Amino acid sequence: MLAVHFGAGNIGRGFIGEVLHKNGHDIYFVDVAQPLIDQLNEQKSYYIRLAQEKEETVLIKNVYGLNSQTQADEVIDTLAKADLITVSAGVNILPLIAPILAKGLLKRVEAGAGAVDVIACENAIGASTTLKGHVLDEITDTKAKEAILTNVGFPDAAVDRIVPNQTRDGLNVLVEPFFEWVVAAKGMKTKERLQGVNYVEELNPYIERKLYTVNTGHACLAYVGFAQGIPSIAEAVADQSIRKELEEVLKETSRLLEEKYQFDGAELKEYREKIISRFENVHLSDPVERVGRNPLRKLSASDRLIGPLVQLYNRGIKAPHLVKVAAAAFQFDVPSDEESVKIQSMLKEKGLEETITKVTSLSADHPLVTQIKEQLEA
């Protein structure tokens, strides 16, 4: 079995690579970082270290590297015979890999190599669908497009694994023991099912469960922890007042998930507790400044804070703890973070109300703007 994976970074090697290896795939990592490519081809293996009390490592072998810029023909040839294609290069990189991916898929179709699935494993909603659009934009021939649509699946996916800041250790990667990879089965063209992957008919409930629990919880610890001068996520969750805030925030988002998708309340409680236990892992704890970075994105209309807040409001459900976290995000003042600097400048130049409306895309007269403003003033 042969898999091609775009992105030889920590997520690619430390998460997707492990699952592919355990399912018997030889893995060709496609990247533009030549030092990584050279290391992969020299070693043909690396270790994953699990961030836990008892030392445990997983050997990942039969791995190779290809540079998409200097080895384009080899990448295209390998794509044409791959059993599975996966991506974890970053959402902004998807348009950049589309041209070479399109060429590889076209060569595959011309050779009659059979169906294949392309799964974008990004921290974004609908990443595979987005990639599909970019690939189709590269193909002008109508019959060729139809052949791609017939033979290539682009199932959307949700992925979850905490990979902390790394101390450089060659190709080896430190990761948390927990991971979750969920794939929308209806978007697939093949019958291949990987062990360790959960295939579902409807993906959105799982995407939002992760976004509004893991990402919202992480944001809560980062922004409230930062406001109280606490340096790391593990230290923040160990503080009883912040932990209580976290628990209340996740109860609010669970209420939304229960109402919107009919998740079982007991299962959501178990899921929340599992997520909190992951935050407590001192072996992978990140600085709150790293987790809280890019507050403009995290305060945008459809993301982890304002997204659930608006949906709860529209259902007539109060969420005072989410409001408190959103307010704390506006106080995230880190000079090394461009988005943080932008928000702080806006607050000084435009004031609270205009900044809140501009950042969150809420109308100036929306009650949530008033609630966040009052929390900030308090």
Side-chain angles (χ1 to χ4, degrees):
M1 299 285 282
L2 188 157
V4 174
H5 181 81
F6 284 87
N10 293 329
I11 293 293
R13 300 196 316 279
F15 180 1
I16 311 304
E18 180 185 6
V19 176
L20 295 175
H21 168 75
K22 287 183 173 179
N23 280 272
H25 290 80
D26 292 348
I27 310 166
Y28 283 80
F29 286 99
V30 179
D31 209 297
V32 295
Q34 193 59 47
L36 268 179
I37 301 298
D38 292 339
Q39 280 185 294
L40 285 163
N41 289 323
E42 287 166 11
Q43 298 177 204
K44 296 183 174 56
S45 67
Y46 60 88
Y47 284 96
I48 290 173
R49 293 190 298 115
L50 299 183
Q52 58 189 18
E53 197 66 39
K54 184 181 178 182
E55 180 73 19
E56 186 178 342
T57 58
V58 180
L59 174 63
I60 310 300
K61 55 186 181 180
N62 299 324
V63 297
Y64 311 91
L66 290 170
N67 190 314
S68 56
Q69 294 180 336
T70 61
Q71 297 175 283
D73 288 343
E74 290 179 59
V75 173
I76 291 167
D77 288 343
T78 309
L79 287 166
K81 58 187 179 183
D83 297 291
L84 179 63
I85 300 166
T86 52
V87 182
S88 65
V91 178
N92 58 325
I93 303 298
L94 297 181
L96 304 181
I97 68 173
I100 197 167
L101 177 56
K103 289 176 182 176
L105 294 173
L106 284 173
K107 184 167 186 176
R108 177 188 191 87
V109 169
E110 290 166 4
V116 71
D117 291 310
V118 180
I119 309 176
C121 308
E122 307 289 355
N123 192 18
I125 295 173
S128 297
T129 299
T130 300
L131 179 56
K132 177 182 178 179
H134 292 310
V135 168
L136 293 177
D137 287 343
E138 297 292 325
I139 304 169
T140 55
D141 183 77
T142 303
K143 286 187 177 179
K145 278 189 180 183
E146 290 175 357
I148 293 296
L149 291 170
T150 301
N151 292 281
V152 183
F154 289 86
D156 285 316
V159 291
D160 181 13
R161 189 173 215 176
I162 296 173
V163 179
N165 263 344
Q166 304 286 309
T167 302
R168 189 68 178 159
D169 184 20
L171 294 172
N172 302 333
V173 190
L174 176 70
V175 299
E176 70 166 326
F178 174 91
F179 73 83
E180 184 176 53
W181 184 357
V182 186
V183 173
K186 64 183 179 183
M188 299 181 69
K189 295 294 184 182
T190 72
K191 294 181 179 179
E192 181 177 9
R193 298 293 184 266
L194 300 174
Q195 289 187 2
V197 176
N198 182 19
Y199 296 88
V200 299
E201 290 305 312
E202 292 297 329
L203 187 64
N204 271 353
Y206 295 90
I207 290 176
E208 292 198 2
R209 186 186 66 164
K210 186 258 180 179
L211 181 63
Y212 298 156
T213 310
V214 181
N215 298 97
T216 302
H218 236 173
C220 172
L221 293 172
Y223 295 132
V224 178
F226 179 84
Q228 296 192 21
I230 294 176
S232 74
I233 293 298
E235 289 171 280
V237 77
D239 181 282
Q240 289 307 303
S241 66
I242 298 178
R243 184 192 178 95
K244 181 63 177 175
E245 194 65 35
L246 172 66
E247 290 172 347
E248 294 302 321
V249 163
L250 296 187
K251 284 179 185 176
E252 290 172 351
T253 55
S254 287
R255 176 83 183 275
L256 171 62
L257 294 167
E258 203 170 342
E259 294 249 344
K260 187 174 181 180
Y261 295 117
Q262 290 75 55
F263 275 111
D264 178 75
E267 289 180 4
L268 281 175
K269 182 175 184 293
E270 185 179 336
Y271 182 70
R272 291 198 305 269
E273 290 171 352
K274 176 67 178 177
I275 300 309
I276 292 173
S277 72
R278 294 167 65 195
F279 295 150
E280 291 173 324
N281 188 338
V282 296
H283 300 283
L284 55 76
S285 181
D286 271 334
V288 295
E289 290 188 7
R290 178 177 182 265
V291 175
R293 64 189 176 183
N294 305 124
L296 275 175
R297 175 170 61 85
K298 290 167 184 174
L299 281 165
S300 62
S302 61
D303 213 276
R304 64 209 67 191
L305 299 175
I306 305 304
L309 252 181
V310 170
Q311 292 181 69
L312 284 164
Y313 174 82
N314 290 342
R315 287 170 169 78
I317 302 170
K318 294 181 179 180
H321 300 279
L322 262 175
V323 169
K324 183 175 179 180
V325 176
F330 280 96
Q331 297 174 305
F332 187 69
D333 188 358
V334 178
S336 61
D337 184 274
E338 288 184 16
E339 292 189 8
S340 165
V341 172
K342 283 183 182 178
I343 289 178
Q344 298 311 308
S345 297
M346 289 170 65
L347 286 169
K348 289 175 184 175
E349 295 169 12
K350 303 179 183 298
L352 283 178
E353 190 169 309
E354 188 174 343
T355 300
I356 294 168
T357 57
K358 188 171 181 62
V359 171
T360 63
S361 300
L362 292 168
S363 60
D365 60 351
H366 198 293
L368 286 174
V369 172
T370 303
Q371 291 177 33
I372 294 170
K373 183 183 176 211
E374 289 174 350
Q375 182 66 50
L376 277 163
E377 290 172 338

